[in-house]
């Protein structure tokens, strides 16, 4: 049974990331997947640029909305362009991605958090100058 | 064999260990195909690359206010150009996907057309970015002006460097397909190239959101 498994590479139960066969089995389906991804990405990008410039939205909510739109667009890229799925043949790729996201969040949020506190606790430069006189 | 084979439905109902319905695991079926191993390995590299980018993003976020009396992001960023850059890179991601489909179908003509369009769109993106950089340096807003501009040029320049390398790789792949055809090893390299190009677009989504859009909002 293992020989049958090995001789046909398309019957493997794992897929590399970016493999088109995760979604589609012919050219038309493949193009449709990319078109759907392109349409969603264009929509999200256009919304981001619109929200950044408009005065119709309450000011403080704009950065939050931009972050949400960016995360959504990254998801669209991952699903429609990189072909990351939730299927069992993609478990390894998803686990690696999850670990990568964990490190990115720790690094980014951790740095911003710590440096913000340091800035807060540091004496402003002009006060420091006065004390040295 | 029966001693080590247990019912997968009871021991691992969600097949987290990738147990095969017939009762043997994937490891019992031999090593994964080389295409899977290559793709997964390159995926790990790309994730480490994204971790490197996140360090540059963190540095930028920390230093964004340290303008030292120089220009702020809202004063120097030109959103129409950024929108055009975004459109070019997004379109190139789509044509890169078309090239992958053409390669899977074994269609050389559409593969060359899609790859050539991808290269032209990528070069257009790079041209706009270099134009922006040279204009900033010309107006005295180069990377040496303030900590904010150092972080800006490092982050955006690092992404631009990745795009440049991607275009060189793209041209190499066109030459390799021309010389060797859609052989298994060339197809593996094409898979990795596609992953690389799509990942650049994902990083750009973070760049235009965090650097340009949030920079002009404040």
């Amino acid at each position: 049974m293992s020989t049958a498994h090995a001789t046909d590479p398309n019957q493997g139960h794992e897929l590399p990331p970016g493999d088109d066969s995760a979604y589609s089995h012919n050219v038309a389906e493949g193009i449709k997947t990319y078109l759907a991804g392109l349409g969603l990405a264009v929509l999200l990008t256009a919304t981001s640029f619109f929200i950044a410039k408009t005065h119709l939205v309450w000011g403080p909510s704009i950065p939050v909305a931009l972050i949400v739109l960016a995360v959504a667009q990254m998801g669209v890229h991952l699903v429609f362009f990189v072909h990351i799925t939730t299927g069992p043949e993609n478990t390894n790729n998803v686990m690696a991605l999850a670990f990568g996201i964990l490190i990115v969040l720790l690094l980014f949020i951790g740095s911003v958090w710590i440096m913000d506190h340091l800035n807060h606790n540091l004496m402003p430069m002009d006060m420091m100058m006065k004390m040295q006189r | 064999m029966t001693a080590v084979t247990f019912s997968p439905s009871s021991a691992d109902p969600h097949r987290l260990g990738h147990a095969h319905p017939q009762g043997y695991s994937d490891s019992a079926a031999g090593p994964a195909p080389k295409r899977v191993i290559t793709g997964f390995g390159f995926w790990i590299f790309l994730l480490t690359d994204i971790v490197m980018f996140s360090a540059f993003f963190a540095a930028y976020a920390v230093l964004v206010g340290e303008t030292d009396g120089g220009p702020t992001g809202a004063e120097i960023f030109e959103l129409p150009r950024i929108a055009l850059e975004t459109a070019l890179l997004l379109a190139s991601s789509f044509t890169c996907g078309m090239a992958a489909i053409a390669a899977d179908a074994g269609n050389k003509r559409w593969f060359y057309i899609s790859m050539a369009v991808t290269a032209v769109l990528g070069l257009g993106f790079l041209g706009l970015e270099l134009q922006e950089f040279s204009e900033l340096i010309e107006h005295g807003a180069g990377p040496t002006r303030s900590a904010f501009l150092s972080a800006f040029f490092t982050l955006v320049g690092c992404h631009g460097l990745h795009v440049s390398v991607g275009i060189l790789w793209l041209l190499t792949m066109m030459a390799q397909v021309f010389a060797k055809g859609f052989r298994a090893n060339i197809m593996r390299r094409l898979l990795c190239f596609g992953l690389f190009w799509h990942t650049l677009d994902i990083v750009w989504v973070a760049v235009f959101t965090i650097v340009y859009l949030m920079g002009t909002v404040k």
Side-chain angles (χ1 to χ4, degrees):
Chain A
M1 55 188 179
S2 62
T3 48
H5 190 75
T7 47
D8 188 356
N10 294 323
Q11 289 301 309
H13 289 277
E14 266 180 77
L15 283 175
D19 198 304
D20 287 330
S21 63
Y23 282 129
S24 52
H25 302 284
N26 61 52
V27 171
E29 270 182 51
I31 294 176
K32 255 188 227 167
T33 305
Y34 280 102
L35 273 177
L38 182 70
L40 284 170
V42 166
L43 201 69
L44 289 164
T45 306
T47 314
S48 280
F49 276 84
F50 171 76
I51 282 190
K53 283 188 150 185
T54 186
H55 298 289
L56 295 172
V57 187
W58 182 54
S61 72
I62 289 177
V64 182
L66 287 175
I67 297 270
V68 171
L69 285 163
V71 170
Q73 188 171 349
M74 288 181 198
V76 165
H77 282 246
L78 281 174
V79 169
F80 290 95
F81 293 161
V82 188
H83 302 306
I84 295 292
T85 72
T86 52
E89 72 287 343
N90 242 304
T91 312
N92 288 336
N93 305 332
V94 173
M95 293 308 268
L97 175 66
F99 183 68
I101 292 172
L102 173 74
I103 300 296
V104 166
L105 289 181
L106 280 177
L107 216 161
F108 184 80
I109 297 174
S111 299
V112 172
W113 186 20
I114 290 171
M115 294 309 287
D116 194 49
H117 275 253
L118 281 179
N119 271 343
H120 192 74
N121 292 334
L122 211 65
M123 193 181 289
M125 194 55 101
D126 50 337
M127 271 174 76
M128 200 124 78
M129 300 278 221
K130 268 179 211 159
M131 279 185 71
Q132 280 169 352
R133 265 177 214 151
Chain B
M1 189 68 195
T2 47
V4 291
T5 311
F6 46 83
S7 170
S9 57
S10 60
D12 188 9
H14 299 291
R15 294 204 278 130
L16 294 173
H18 299 233
H20 194 272
Q22 267 101 60
Y24 59 87
S25 69
D26 269 5
S27 56
K34 197 163 183 183
R35 183 176 161 84
V36 172
I37 296 170
T38 307
F40 184 68
F42 197 73
W43 183 230
I44 300 285
F45 158 70
L46 286 175
L47 289 167
T48 61
D49 213 30
I50 289 175
V51 168
M52 183 201 70
F53 266 110
S54 77
F56 285 130
F57 272 110
Y60 177 81
V62 165
L63 296 172
V64 70
E66 314 300 322
T67 52
D68 190 27
T72 64
E75 290 162 12
I76 55 171
F77 296 153
E78 292 173 25
L79 280 193
R81 172 158 50 209
I82 305 308
L84 187 56
E85 281 182 59
T86 307
L88 288 175
L89 209 57
L90 187 57
S92 83
S93 223
F94 176 75
T95 54
C96 177
M98 294 302 103
I101 290 177
D104 282 341
N107 189 326
K108 274 197 180 181
R109 198 198 334 168
W110 279 106
F111 172 78
Y112 290 135
I113 293 174
S114 307
M115 288 292 260
V117 174
T118 308
V120 169
L121 292 168
L123 285 171
F125 172 87
L126 267 186
L128 284 171
E129 187 156 276
L130 288 176
Q131 189 192 31
E132 180 193 27
F133 282 6
S134 62
E135 279 181 24
L136 284 176
I137 293 169
E138 214 174 291
H139 293 118
T144 53
R145 178 62 189 83
S146 64
F148 154 64
L149 282 164
S150 300
F152 166 78
F153 274 92
T154 311
L155 172 59
V156 181
C158 186
H159 178 268
L161 204 62
H162 275 74
V163 175
S164 317
V165 171
I167 290 172
L168 284 179
W169 190 3
L170 186 157
L171 296 174
T172 311
M173 287 323 299
M174 284 178 80
Q176 288 203 326
V177 168
F178 181 76
K180 300 172 181 173
F182 294 123
R183 292 193 327 213
N185 60 340
I186 304 294
M187 291 302 283
R188 283 197 298 273
R189 288 170 202 174
L190 282 175
L191 174 76
C192 294
F193 167 73
L195 282 171
F196 183 76
W197 197 261
H198 292 311
T199 305
L200 286 187
D201 206 9
I202 293 177
V203 173
W204 180 251
V205 172
V207 171
F208 82 69
T209 302
I210 293 178
V211 175
Y212 291 106
L213 293 183
M214 293 180 77
T216 46
V217 161
K218 278 167 196 169

